[in-house]
Amino acid sequence: MFWIDIVLLTSIAASFHGSAWYAAVTIGCCVLAISVIVGFRSLRRSKHDKDMGYPMVINAYSSKGLTKSGRRRAGLFGGSTGGAAAAGSTAAGGLVLLGSVIFVGYAAAIAFSSFQRYLTRAEFEAVRQYGTKKHPKTPTP
């Protein structure tokens, strides 16, 4: 996705000349940087989770205030936007393209979090409770 976004950014910037080119490249780089910041902010842990030693995982802090019906509506909106883009809607295609740019930050955060010893909170809890030869019990603070 990152390389697709770079190709997209350079193709858009190629249609501009002079200072407009610099503005287009700067705006594109800012959007990519913001998506990476938002993606890595989703890895934040609470003080309690840090003290317990829980791994960094993508969590639902961004949807914390959403009810079940709110999450359902957000999913329906995403699905209908993709369907409209496939049907040929230019505005929906633009939204899907913007979503692919924003997705780069979450993809980078997921890749970063995969380098940890434990990938999920449940895996950490299981090793702490039962332990294995390869993964000895972790101390309980």
Side-chain angles (χ1 to χ4, degrees):
M1 289 308 296
F2 177 76
W3 293 114
I4 290 172
D5 292 337
I6 293 297
V7 168
L8 177 70
L9 175 66
T10 56
S11 64
I12 289 172
S15 64
F16 295 110
H17 301 289
S19 60
W21 181 86
Y22 291 109
V25 169
T26 303
I27 289 170
C29 289
C30 287
V31 168
L32 285 174
I34 289 170
S35 80
V36 170
I37 290 168
V38 169
F40 276 91
R41 283 185 66 191
S42 67
L43 292 176
R44 288 189 307 184
R45 297 176 291 173
S46 67
K47 183 172 178 358
H48 177 264
D49 289 352
K50 286 180 187 176
D51 293 341
M52 294 294 289
Y54 288 124
M56 293 183 296
V57 293
I58 298 286
N59 51 40
Y61 288 138
S62 60
S63 64
K64 189 175 185 179
L66 290 178
T67 62
K68 185 176 181 177
S69 64
R71 288 190 300 270
R72 184 178 299 127
R73 279 182 291 182
L76 288 173
F77 174 75
S80 62
T81 303
S89 170
T90 306
L95 287 174
V96 168
L97 199 57
L98 180 64
S100 71
V101 172
I102 293 170
F103 175 73
V104 170
Y106 283 101
I110 290 169
F112 177 76
S113 68
S114 70
F115 290 113
Q116 302 176 99
R117 184 174 188 168
Y118 305 110
L119 295 179
T120 64
R121 191 174 184 153
E123 181 184 11
F124 177 81
E125 287 291 334
V127 171
R128 185 168 67 180
Q129 185 173 359
Y130 301 108
T132 64
K133 285 185 179 181
K134 285 179 103 175
H135 300 282
K137 282 187 161 187
T138 57
T140 304

